[in-house]
Amino acid sequence: AQSVTQLGSHVSVSEGALVLLRCNYSSSVPPYLFWYVQYPNQGLQLLLKYTSAATLVKGINGFEAEFKKSETSFHLTKPSAHMSDAAEYFCAVSIYSSASKIIFGSGTRLSIRP
Amino acid sequence: GAGVSQSPRYKVAKRGQDVALRCDPISGHVSLFWYQQALGQGPEFLTYFQNEAQLDKSGLPSDRFFAERPEGSVSTLKIQRTQQEDSAVYLCASSLEVTAGSNEQFFGPGTRLTVL
C-alpha cells in the first residue's frame, strides 16, 4: 500500500528565509509524487509533480522538490519565502499514472513571519 | 467551463437528513474523483468514475454514501441519514483520463458539510 508522511504539522519561517517542507513516502512500486497547496476556502492547486523523469522537479511560485529514492523522500523547498506562501501544503502519492487515486499526507501549515 | 465547480459551497444538515452534493467537472474530462477532507486532515479518496462507470468505490465509508455520474459529466454524491462524523469538506476532482501518462487532477473548491 502507498502512504506519505509529512514531518511537522506546522512550519514557521521568516520572510526571505528558506522554506523546507518534509515528505517521506512508502510505495511498493515506482510512485508518482505530488505537492499541492491549499489556500483558505479554496481548492487544491498542484505545485509540482514527479513522474519518473527528472529527479529535481520545478513547480510554480518558485517551489521545487527532489525525488530521492534511497531516502524515500520528496521534500519541498523554496529559497526565499514570501508572505503569499502562507498556506497548507500536502504531499501526495499515486500509482498506475499521475491521474489515478491520490493518497494525501496530513498536511503542513506554513506560516511566514514578517 | 473554466474549472471544476461544486455546489452548494456550504451545507448545514440536521442529523438524519439526506444531502446531495453536486460536481461539475471540466468539460471533456473523462475521470472524476470524490475526496473527503476532515478538519485538519488531508483529503481521503472516496470514489472514482471513468465516464459513467464507477470503477472504484473502495473509499466510501458506509452504505449511506452513494455517488453517481449517469451521463458521464455531472456527478452527485449523496449521503443518507447524515451523522455528525460526516462533517467535512467534500472535494471533487477531474482529469482527462487515467491512463494517459502525466494527466493531472484538477480540484474544485469543495462543499463544506456541517451536520448538527
Side-chain angles (χ1 to χ4, degrees):
Chain A
Q2 290 70 41
S3 66
V4 290
T5 302
Q6 292 185 241
L7 302 177
S9 60
H10 184 209
V11 170
S12 179
V13 302
S14 297
E15 189 174 18
L18 171 72
V19 175
L20 171 60
L21 304 183
R22 299 178 185 274
C23 173
N24 288 89
Y25 71 91
S26 173
S27 178
S28 56
V29 297
Y32 293 85
L33 293 162
F34 311 84
W35 276 99
Y36 282 86
V37 61
Q38 188 174 39
Y39 297 100
N41 297 318
Q42 294 188 28
L44 291 160
Q45 181 181 7
L46 181 67
L47 275 178
L48 49 81
K49 60 185 176 185
Y50 166 76
T51 58
S52 75
T55 57
L56 182 62
V57 182
K58 294 187 182 298
I60 62 172
N61 301 339
F63 285 93
E64 64 181 36
E66 185 172 8
F67 173 71
K68 292 186 177 180
K69 184 177 179 179
S70 61
E71 299 178 6
T72 62
S73 69
F74 191 59
H75 302 330
L76 181 71
T77 60
K78 182 174 180 178
S80 177
H82 294 176
M83 297 300 293
S84 61
D85 294 328
E88 189 87 17
Y89 291 80
F90 293 95
C91 181
V93 64
S94 178
I95 59 171
Y96 307 122
S97 81
S98 67
S100 62
K101 176 172 67 177
I102 295 176
I103 308 299
F104 288 87
S106 57
T108 297
R109 180 167 301 278
L110 177 64
S111 299
I112 312 297
R113 301 187 300 271
Chain B
V4 179
S5 60
Q6 294 185 244
S7 61
R9 290 293 312 277
Y10 303 90
K11 177 68 179 179
V12 178
K14 293 183 179 179
R15 189 174 58 180
Q17 283 185 330
D18 298 349
V19 298
L21 313 180
R22 176 186 170 107
C23 172
D24 285 83
I26 293 173
S27 179
H29 277 195
V30 170
S31 300
L32 186 145
F33 303 81
W34 284 98
Y35 294 84
Q36 180 190 58
Q37 186 176 18
L39 187 65
Q41 300 296 318
E44 293 191 358
F45 170 81
L46 293 177
T47 187
Y48 154 64
F49 291 86
Q50 188 165 341
N51 295 306
E52 69 278 4
Q54 189 175 17
L55 299 186
D56 187 347
K57 52 182 181 179
S58 61
L60 295 176
S62 77
D63 58 7
R64 296 185 296 104
F65 286 71
F66 172 76
E68 59 183 6
R69 194 186 185 198
E71 298 179 354
S73 56
V74 171
S75 177
T76 303
L77 176 67
K78 298 179 179 178
I79 309 174
Q80 297 177 325
R81 305 181 303 280
T82 53
Q83 303 295 315
Q84 285 188 324
E85 61 263 29
D86 300 336
S87 296
V89 175
Y90 291 85
L91 297 169
C92 176
S94 69
S95 66
L96 277 172
E97 55 184 299
V98 170
T99 58
S102 61
N103 279 326
E104 155 187 355
Q105 290 186 27
F106 294 85
F107 283 81
T111 294
R112 181 178 297 278
L113 173 64
T114 302
V115 182
L116 303 178

